[in-house]
Amino acid sequence: MRVDVVVVGAGVSGLTAARRLRDAGLAVAVVEARDRVGGRVRTHRPGGDEPAIELGAQVVHGDRNPVWDVLEPDAAEPVSPGRALVATAGRVLPLGVLARLGNPPWAVEQSLLDGQGEDVPAAGRLTRGDQAEWLRQNWAADPESLSTAGMAAGRRADDVGEGRFAVRGGFDLLPGALARGLDVHCGSPVRSITWSRGRVEARLDEGAVMAAAAVVTVPPPVVAGGALAIADLPARKRAAAESLRLGDAWCAVLTLCRPAPESAVVFDAEGGLGFVTSTAGSTRVLVVAKAGAAARAREAAREGPPPLGRVLPWAGDARPEHVEAADWGADAWATGAFTYPRVGALWARAAWAEPVSETVFFAGEATAAGVPMVQAAMASGRRAAGEVLEAVGR
């Protein structure tokens, strides 16, 4: 196959780049290892009247988020999670009890986001275990590795408005809309890229894609670990790929034998299950565990469905009938939830974003200055496409 540009990865960043390049008149092929588009967007649809449940990207932040430029005008659905609870010291209590202790974890996080910050571990600003666990679950990183300067810089670069929203009908409507009309090849992992100036060969398990340029959107550890080999990668780029890391994540929808009596989100301050969400009248419970909690939830799941009674007392003897899991930390093409700002590695995002000889270009949330969310992925795709167009004189 011969095209003008090959885009490696059909996540949000790759699809965004491909659309801009196609709209500029270039022939573009998007090559994706998975059997679906969307990357770390994964929506579970239980069927019937049950609403969609997100096993990847959870919510859209901001009423000015570029997501709303792609989807239908009525796609934004304000998030109403129900009661906010915390599981701590063997009890499940209103989340507000943490505020009574002084310096609740969300206030500590906000102070880190609002400050200028030094490139030092966030752990130095914490005084309690619930504060540390809150950061683990929101940033998919241990506070000993999480840079206060990186957190603050991400917030300053992110201006998407107010509010938290679900995508009505499911988050995967976004990559579906972005992919519409594009030449997308799923189930075709790119194993290696060789290049010379103005010429690229992307090798697949069967065959190859020849192009004048490539846009690589896979997470950096995929390259650092050798799953995608890029020939003649400059030393600075290799060092960046090795420095940029994604936090662990394990998500699952558990279908129980009885419906939830209330809608609630439980923060597991003891580090076992992350955030657990139940919806009144639904038998389905969502577990989103990151960092150390992801490893513990994954290990528990090997013996059977993770026990929920400690965080949802009403579910203590409710037998799970089905588990639909998304193990992002074990996913070879994801390697985790998202790229966190790591102490000593703040230089690496810009380095990973740098094109190589106006031929191999890079996108993905790992290259973006903002918080590691969908808007950062979209911005990176637009930026990389612009670099390609400038290189080819369009």
Side-chain angles (χ1 to χ4, degrees), residues 73-365:
D74 64 345
E77 186 171 14
V79 173
S80 301
R83 294 183 68 199
L85 305 171
V86 57
T88 181
R91 302 174 66 190
V92 179
L93 302 168
L95 186 64
V97 300
L98 298 180
R100 297 175 200 161
L101 301 175
N103 292 321
W106 52 90
V108 173
E109 180 184 27
Q110 190 62 50
S111 71
L112 294 172
L113 290 172
D114 290 342
Q116 294 297 313
E118 297 179 73
D119 186 20
V120 296
R125 296 283 299 275
L126 309 179
T127 58
R128 298 197 310 270
D130 59 271
Q131 297 168 349
E133 188 59 26
W134 184 270
L135 291 185
R136 291 187 189 102
Q137 296 313 310
N138 281 283
W139 290 85
D142 193 280
E144 291 290 349
S145 300
L146 188 59
S147 168
T148 58
M151 295 172 67
R155 169 58 65 87
R156 289 195 300 273
D158 208 43
D159 183 19
V160 291
E162 303 297 327
R164 298 170 72 248
F165 303 88
V167 176
R168 185 174 282 109
F171 214 136
D172 64 355
L173 294 180
L174 174 64
L178 290 170
R180 198 168 298 128
L182 296 178
D183 181 20
V184 181
H185 302 263
C186 290
S188 301
V190 175
R191 302 299 184 181
S192 66
I193 293 175
T194 56
W195 61 274
S196 57
R197 193 176 184 89
R199 182 183 179 279
V200 169
E201 181 179 355
R203 298 292 306 178
L204 313 176
D205 288 336
E206 296 182 6
V209 181
M210 311 298 293
V215 178
V216 176
T217 72
V218 301
V222 174
V223 176
L228 169 59
I230 303 178
D232 302 319
L233 202 60
R236 175 174 165 83
K237 297 283 289 186
R238 290 196 176 279
E242 292 167 359
S243 296
L244 292 166
R245 300 173 189 175
L246 283 72
D248 196 5
W250 186 91
C251 304
V253 176
L254 281 66
T255 302
L256 307 183
C257 61
R258 73 165 65 98
E262 66 174 352
S263 295
V265 177
V266 184
F267 164 50
D268 185 358
E270 297 177 355
L273 290 172
F275 286 99
V276 180
T277 302
S278 63
T279 302
S282 174
T283 59
R284 292 173 176 85
V285 170
L286 174 65
V287 175
V288 178
K290 301 189 186 82
R296 286 184 281 275
R298 180 185 298 114
E299 184 62 30
R302 292 194 178 105
E303 305 297 324
L308 296 174
R310 185 174 54 79
V311 294
L312 296 176
W314 61 267
D317 60 349
R319 176 178 53 83
E321 297 178 338
H322 179 71
V323 177
E324 182 76 19
D327 192 342
W328 297 108
D331 185 319
W333 301 108
T335 73
F338 46 75
T339 311
Y340 64 89
R342 190 167 70 89
V343 173
L346 300 186
W347 62 272
R349 285 185 182 269
W352 186 242
E354 293 169 359
V356 177
S357 295
E358 296 186 320
T359 301
V360 184
F361 301 81
F362 296 82
E365 54 85 10

